[in-house]
Amino acid sequence: MKKQLQSAIAIIKENGYKNTKKREEILTFLIEENRYIGAIEVFDFMNEKYQGISYDTIYRNLRDFTSMGLLEETELMGEKKFRFHCDVNECHHHHHHHFICTECGATREIKMCPMDFFKEQLPDFEIESHRFEILGKCNKCSKKMKVIVD
């Protein structure tokens, strides 16, 4: 975790931003959680340590971190969610996709990309980008749901 945070801090500085304790706290929280998290959850965590911190400050930092390649972003049930990038040092070169638990936000990296299939199906088109995510319940949440139903 320490190496991930140090790499992130270096990227922040390379992009002309100051390294602050609050930014480190946000990044540390996201690294430790290792799942997709909404801005409100980050806000709640930070507000416990820094009473009165603004939601706008949290959201702006999340957007800045995303634009620097430190965070990955997705939308689940109409809400933007963020997670620390799988490999910050490879953030612009490491093409991958995720399974995302819709209950807890846990993720698992998918090692292959289905785009070869789609390129074959669309030979007369130029694909500019794509996003591929598999949504469902992780094993832990799936078991929890079975206990509630049974």
Side-chain angles (χ1 to χ4, degrees), residues 36-76:
Y36 279 101
I37 299 173
I40 193 72
E41 190 174 344
V42 178
F43 169 76
D44 290 342
F45 169 79
M46 291 296 289
N47 198 41
E48 285 180 22
K49 293 184 177 210
Y50 302 98
Q51 292 290 316
I53 192 168
S54 101
Y55 178 81
D56 289 341
T57 297
I58 299 300
Y59 197 81
R60 185 177 60 254
N61 276 281
L62 293 172
R63 298 297 309 152
D64 290 343
F65 294 157
T66 301
S67 70
M68 288 181 234
L70 297 174
L71 303 182
E72 297 174 4
E73 175 186 64
T74 194
E75 190 171 315
L76 292 172

Side-chain angles (χ1 to χ4, degrees), residues 4 8 11-12 23 26-32 34-39 42 58-74 81-89 91-92 96 98:
Q4 290 173 304
I11 291 169
I12 288 170
R23 286 185 174 140
I26 292 170
L27 290 169
T28 299
F29 177 66
L30 290 164
I31 291 167
E32 288 175 350
N34 193 28
R35 62 185 174 89
Y36 279 101
I37 299 173
V42 178
I58 299 300
Y59 197 81
R60 185 177 60 254
N61 276 281
L62 293 172
R63 298 297 309 152
D64 290 343
F65 294 157
T66 301
S67 70
M68 288 181 234
L70 297 174
L71 303 182
E72 297 174 4
E73 175 186 64
T74 194
K81 303 265 185 165
F82 305 87
R83 77 182 298 276
F84 194 77
H85 206 289
C86 292
D87 187 352
V88 164
N89 295 320
C91 60
H92 298 292
H96 65 281
H98 290 116

Side-chain angles (χ1 to χ4, degrees), residues 69-135:
L70 297 174
L71 303 182
E72 297 174 4
E73 175 186 64
T74 194
E75 190 171 315
L76 292 172
M77 293 175 258
E79 180 186 4
K80 291 246 185 254
K81 303 265 185 165
F82 305 87
R83 77 182 298 276
F84 194 77
H85 206 289
C86 292
D87 187 352
V88 164
N89 295 320
E90 298 283 329
C91 60
H92 298 292
H93 310 290
H94 181 68
H95 180 79
H96 65 281
H97 302 284
H98 290 116
F99 167 87
I100 305 169
C101 179
T102 56
E103 191 71 26
C104 71
T107 61
R108 169 109 10 114
E109 187 173 337
I110 300 169
K111 302 280 188 210
M112 58 81 68
C113 178
M115 282 309 293
D116 290 338
F117 171 79
F118 294 112
K119 287 178 185 175
E120 290 173 10
Q121 302 297 311
L122 301 165
D124 299 335
F125 294 88
E126 179 182 336
I127 299 170
E128 294 178 352
S129 70
H130 69 281
R131 189 173 110 178
F132 182 77
E133 298 168 335
I134 299 174
L135 306 175

